[in-house]
Amino acid sequence: MLLLAPRLLPLLLVIGTGAPVPSPHTLPQGCYIAEEAGEQTFRCSRAGLSAVPSGIPNNTRKLYLDANQLASLPAGAFQHLPVLEELDLSHNVLVHLSGAAFQGLEGTLRHLDLSANQLASVPVAAFTGLQIQVNLSANPWRCDCALQEVLRQVRLAPGSGTGIVCGPGARPDLVGQEFLLLTREEELCGTGRGGTRRSTDVALLVTMGGWLTLVAAYLIHYVWQNRDETRRPLKRAPVQRLVRSEDSSTLSTVV
C-alpha cells in the first residue's frame, strides 16, 4: 500500500478538483499531476520526452515540459488544453515551431518560456493573437525580420531581454550582439509594418532634401545675378547744352 501512495496522491488531488481522471498507464514515466497555488498543474520536467505527451488533463492550467528532448512543436500541439495559462518549454532542443503550434490558446495563455533551446528563427504566425509574456533568451537567434516582428507582438519576461543574442547564423557583424540594442539602430524588415514606416521616412527625407536643394540653387542664382547687375557700369545719359545763336534770339539744343 505504501508503494502505491506516490501514484495515488496525484489522482486524489485531481478527483478533489472534479477533473477527469487519466489512467495511470497513460502518464509518461516521470510525469505527475499536482495542484499548485490552487492551479491544476501537470509536470513532466526531466522526463526524457521527445514529443508532447498524451494524457494531459484538459483542465490543466500550468504545464511544465522543461528539460526534455523536444525538438519541434507541431500544429495544434496544445489545442486540447482550453484553459492553459502557463507553458514551460525551456531547456529543450527546439529548433522548429509550427506557425500553428499554439493554436487554441489565444484567449488563455499568459506565460510562455522558450528559453535555452536551439531556436534560430520563429514564425510570426505562431504568436499571432496571443496576449503573452514570453522568455526567448539563450537561443542562437538569426536576428532577422521574423524575430523583430514577434517582439512587436509579445511582452518579454522581466530581465530576459538582454539574453536575446544573435547566434552563429546571424550576419557576421551581428553575432554576439544583443538584439534589443540592435533594433534601436537598425531596421531588419525590408517590408511589413516596420519596413514600410522606415521606407516612408526615407522617401520623405529624400523629397525634402530635393526641395531644399532646388531652393538653395535658386537663391544662389538670384544672389549672383544681382551681384553681376551691381557691378555692371551704368550708361550715362546724353548731356544736353543750350546754345544761343548769334544770329537769332532763339535757343537751340546741342548734343
Side-chain angles (χ1 to χ4, degrees):
M1 186 66 178
L2 293 176
L3 295 176
L4 295 176
R7 292 189 178 184
L8 290 175
L9 180 59
L11 296 177
L12 291 174
L13 290 172
V14 175
I15 293 173
T17 59
V21 181
S23 169
H25 300 291
T26 63
L27 296 181
Q29 185 177 4
C31 300
Y32 64 93
I33 302 168
E35 185 175 348
E36 300 178 2
E39 301 286 351
Q40 180 77 9
T41 303
F42 191 87
R43 284 190 174 272
C44 275
S45 304
R46 301 182 183 278
L49 301 175
S50 58
V52 177
S54 59
I56 303 175
N58 59 13
N59 67 335
T60 298
R61 292 187 178 275
K62 296 182 179 181
L63 177 58
Y64 293 88
L65 299 176
D66 53 302
N68 284 289
Q69 298 299 315
L70 302 178
S72 65
L73 290 179
F78 307 100
Q79 64 182 358
H80 61 291
L81 303 174
V83 294
L84 187 64
E85 297 177 355
E86 184 173 334
L87 177 58
D88 189 347
L89 295 166
S90 64
H91 295 88
N92 277 278
V93 290
L94 289 171
V95 295
H96 172 72
L97 297 183
S98 166
F102 307 113
Q103 185 178 24
L105 303 179
E106 292 83 359
T108 60
L109 192 63
R110 294 293 177 264
H111 300 278
L112 175 63
D113 194 342
L114 291 171
S115 63
N117 278 282
Q118 296 300 314
L119 294 169
S121 185
V122 288
V124 180
F127 300 89
T128 301
L130 296 178
Q131 304 296 321
I132 59 172
Q133 185 178 90
V134 62
N135 187 342
L136 298 173
S137 63
N139 282 283
W141 293 109
R142 193 178 300 133
C143 292
D144 54 7
C145 174
L147 180 58
Q148 189 169 19
E149 288 295 327
V150 167
L151 294 184
R152 289 185 175 128
Q153 297 187 30
V154 302
R155 293 177 295 111
L156 293 178
S160 66
T162 56
I164 303 177
V165 178
C166 303
R171 280 177 10 209
D173 59 313
L174 303 183
V175 175
Q177 293 193 41
E178 291 183 22
F179 187 72
L180 293 184
L181 296 179
L182 174 65
T183 54
R184 294 175 186 174
E185 303 176 355
E186 183 174 353
E187 173 61 55
L188 299 175
C189 294
T191 59
R193 180 175 58 184
T196 301
R197 182 175 63 249
R198 187 64 172 266
S199 299
T200 303
D201 292 343
V202 171
L204 181 61
L205 288 175
V206 170
T207 303
M208 292 179 63
W211 279 108
L212 289 175
T213 302
L214 290 176
V215 172
Y218 174 78
L219 290 176
I220 292 173
H221 174 73
Y222 179 79
V223 170
W224 277 99
Q225 187 177 27
N226 287 342
R227 189 175 179 182
D228 291 341
E229 290 291 339
T230 56
R231 289 182 175 181
R232 188 177 302 166
L234 297 175
K235 293 182 178 180
R236 293 184 178 181
V239 179
Q240 297 180 347
R241 291 184 300 166
L242 297 177
V243 179
R244 183 182 296 272
S245 175
E246 295 179 354
D247 301 330
S248 175
S249 60
T250 61
L251 296 177
S252 60
T253 302
V254 178
V255 178

